[in-house]
Amino acid sequence: MDTTQRTDQQRSADRRRRELLEAADRVVLRDGPQASMNAIAAEAGITKPILYRHFGDKGGLYAALAKRHTDALLASLRAALDAPADRRERVESTLETYLAAIEARPQVYRFLMHPAEGSQGGDQGFDVGKHSVPLLRRMGEELAQVIEERVDLGPESQQLARVWGHGIVGMMHAAGDWWLGERPCSRAELVRSLADLLWGRLAAAGDKVGGPGF
Amino acid sequence: MDTTQRTDQQRSADRRRRELLEAADRVVLRDGPQASMNAIAAEAGITKPILYRHFGDKGGLYAALAKRHTDALLASLRAALDAPADRRERVESTLETYLAAIEARPQVYRFLMHPAEGSQGGDQGFDVGKHSVPLLRRMGEELAQVIEERVDLGPESQQLARVWGHGIVGMMHAAGDWWLGERPCSRAELVRSLADLLWGRLAAAGDKVGGPGF
DNA sequence: ATGCGATGTTACTTGCGGTAACAGGAGTGT
DNA sequence: ACACTCCTGTTACCGCAAGTAACATCGCAT
């Protein structure tokens, strides 16, 4: 029951865990989100039950994997959001960062965006915190926080910031998803168009004359 | 090879198909999106292979079911979009329509929004058109069309309209999803906040002074 | 009656998530 | 040296859902 020893074992376990996650990462990147536990175990050079000992169930592995990428992506986004620049510039650079990320690794992106299966908490009592929230929520909350920190929205600012956070993230996500599938324009054009939308160009534009139905 | 007879049988098959879809609907509404084919067949009073004869595979049934609801929802949305009113009013009423729909039938909503499984096309050669597009895309395209019809965006209007269509739909979707889960405010408030966002209030708001990191 | 096509069934295969039970190997107390 | 206990790893299995093959049946035109 020596503390140092337990720490030692913990360290070893954590290393294994990281190796397994990297193997899982490789498989997901190769086979897409429907990668089987068997395949992941094989890639890691071991067998299924070990994965289950480490992550509880597939949801646990999903969550752990998602957390890695989500943390990384959120770090980049926060950097872009917090840059000492004009707001419009910050918005554009954030969009740019996000789109570049999903363009660079579409497989990972597809994996992250899956609600997939509804997991119920780990029974093994692992240290998995409640990070089962599917990326979009976390991005929305983060953005909401930044908005509330930096933009003056008067009373109700918190509420408004959260709505906007989730809304803007959703806009980014849907547009990015569509763009990634069809590639109808360059990344820069997409960024510009979205920023224009957020800048109220929809309200400013005039009605088109002679449309169908008056 | 008589045409009338074939039409007769077709009619019968179509009726069956509709019955099956309604049964599937009931099950999905009760059990959520992970409803099994067995359960659906049982609800319809038949057995699995019949479902497969009618829909090819689970993806086919998914697509058919999704098409029904999508068509219905899109019809309501188009009505709101095409109302003879001020643009802001139309936007708000469209948001309202969408949110009311997902609020009224969250189970169906959850079902529709799932990418779930990557389906590869039907091999049986059924008459399923390529409507495997998961709702969000269709809503995006529809909205894009309406925007391009009614809003004057100068040159590049088509491109811009499509980006905006998908972006706005994504905003609506993400905000709606979050709102449905947490219910942080009334529907009307949500609608107002989102419309405000689209109306450029983000650009118009001032910087907050004394934020962290300045 | 008889062949034919649509409709329906039972019973099977395959594949995956998840688990039980067993098999060493390294440190530890006696 | 010996047993005891963790930890890591395996094989072999269960349950369940998707999808299929092969058989049974009814209606009908000739």
Side-chain angles (χ1 to χ4, degrees):
Chain A
M1 298 290 181
D2 188 354
T3 326
T4 48
Q5 184 176 353
R6 184 152 252 189
T7 304
D8 210 30
Q9 291 182 349
Q10 194 102 349
R11 235 172 247 271
S12 162
D14 278 8
R15 236 195 60 202
R16 236 352 161 240
R17 189 189 170 87
R18 220 160 289 161
E19 288 173 11
L20 297 186
L21 279 176
E22 278 164 24
D25 224 20
R26 261 172 278 141
V27 174
V28 165
L29 219 110
R30 170 161 42 78
D31 295 359
Q34 76 281 12
S36 81
M37 294 297 263
N38 256 328
I40 294 174
E43 170 72 28
I46 51 156
T47 50
K48 264 195 302 179
I50 304 184
L51 281 181
Y52 284 96
R53 281 222 255 274
H54 274 271
F55 301 105
D57 63 349
K58 192 168 187 164
L61 193 151
Y62 169 93
L65 211 50
K67 184 159 169 31
R68 277 166 66 99
H69 288 110
T70 301
D71 288 351
L73 180 54
L74 280 175
S76 326
L77 292 181
R78 200 168 245 283
L81 277 167
D82 275 349
D86 172 277
R87 191 182 301 158
R88 164 95 187 203
E89 251 178 280
R90 271 182 287 144
V91 166
E92 291 198 0
S93 112
T94 305
L95 288 167
E96 174 76 19
T97 302
Y98 173 82
L99 294 172
I102 73 172
E103 186 181 24
R105 303 158 141 253
Q107 295 280 14
V108 172
Y109 162 72
R110 289 256 171 237
F111 172 73
L112 287 180
M113 288 311 180
H114 267 282
E117 50 270 300
S119 65
Q120 53 269 30
D123 34 352
Q124 314 266 46
F126 275 126
D127 61 317
V128 295
K130 271 296 176 213
H131 49 50
S132 54
V133 193
L135 178 51
L136 276 185
R137 291 290 175 89
R138 280 190 67 195
M139 290 203 300
E141 290 295 330
E142 292 268 343
L143 178 54
Q145 196 177 324
V146 172
I147 290 176
E148 219 220 324
E149 277 170 17
R150 314 232 353 197
V151 183
D152 181 16
L153 293 171
E156 310 256 1
S157 74
Q158 190 178 338
Q159 186 102 303
L160 205 52
R162 290 186 83 203
V163 172
W164 287 11
H166 290 282
I168 294 174
V169 163
M171 180 202 79
M172 188 169 79
H173 164 234
D177 196 89
W178 162 75
W179 172 75
L180 203 58
E182 307 205 1
R183 292 306 184 93
C185 61
S186 76
R187 212 164 67 202
E189 284 174 307
L190 180 60
V191 168
R192 234 191 97 105
S193 302
L194 290 176
D196 279 358
L197 176 58
L198 289 175
W199 251 249
R201 217 181 127 188
L202 174 63
D207 280 341
K208 206 164 200 169
V209 293
F214 170 100
Chain B
M1 298 290 183
D2 188 353
T3 326
T4 48
Q5 184 177 351
R6 185 151 252 190
T7 303
D8 209 31
Q9 291 183 348
Q10 195 104 346
R11 235 172 247 271
S12 163
D14 278 9
R15 236 194 58 202
R16 245 337 169 250
R17 190 189 169 89
R18 219 162 288 161
E19 288 172 11
L20 298 186
L21 279 177
E22 277 162 26
D25 223 20
R26 262 172 277 140
V27 174
V28 164
L29 220 111
R30 171 160 42 78
D31 295 359
Q34 75 281 10
S36 80
M37 294 296 263
N38 255 327
I40 294 173
E43 170 72 27
I46 52 155
T47 50
K48 263 194 306 177
I50 303 185
L51 282 181
Y52 283 96
R53 283 224 254 271
H54 274 270
F55 302 105
D57 63 350
K58 191 165 189 166
L61 193 154
Y62 170 91
L65 211 50
K67 183 158 171 33
R68 275 166 66 99
H69 288 111
T70 301
D71 288 350
L73 180 53
L74 280 175
S76 327
L77 292 180
R78 201 168 244 284
L81 277 167
D82 275 350
D86 172 276
R87 190 183 301 158
R88 165 97 187 202
E89 251 178 281
R90 270 182 288 145
V91 166
E92 291 197 1
S93 111
T94 304
L95 288 167
E96 174 76 20
T97 301
Y98 172 81
L99 293 171
I102 73 173
E103 186 180 24
R105 304 159 140 250
Q107 295 280 15
V108 172
Y109 162 72
R110 289 258 171 235
F111 172 74
L112 288 179
M113 288 310 182
H114 266 281
E117 50 269 299
S119 65
Q120 51 269 30
D123 33 350
Q124 314 267 50
F126 274 124
D127 61 317
V128 296
K130 270 300 176 211
H131 49 51
S132 55
V133 193
L135 176 51
L136 276 185
R137 291 290 175 89
R138 279 190 66 194
M139 290 204 299
E141 290 296 329
E142 292 269 343
L143 179 53
Q145 195 176 325
V146 172
I147 290 177
E148 219 221 323
E149 278 170 17
R150 316 236 346 200
V151 182
D152 180 17
L153 292 172
E156 310 256 3
S157 75
Q158 189 178 337
Q159 185 101 302
L160 205 51
R162 292 187 81 202
V163 172
W164 287 11
H166 289 283
I168 293 174
V169 163
M171 181 201 79
M172 188 170 78
H173 164 236
D177 196 87
W178 163 75
W179 172 76
L180 204 57
E182 308 205 359
R183 291 305 184 94
C185 62
S186 77
R187 212 165 66 202
E189 285 174 307
L190 180 60
V191 168
R192 233 191 97 104
S193 302
L194 290 176
D196 278 358
L197 176 58
L198 289 175
W199 250 249
R201 215 179 128 192
L202 175 63
D207 282 340
K208 207 164 200 170
V209 292
F214 178 90

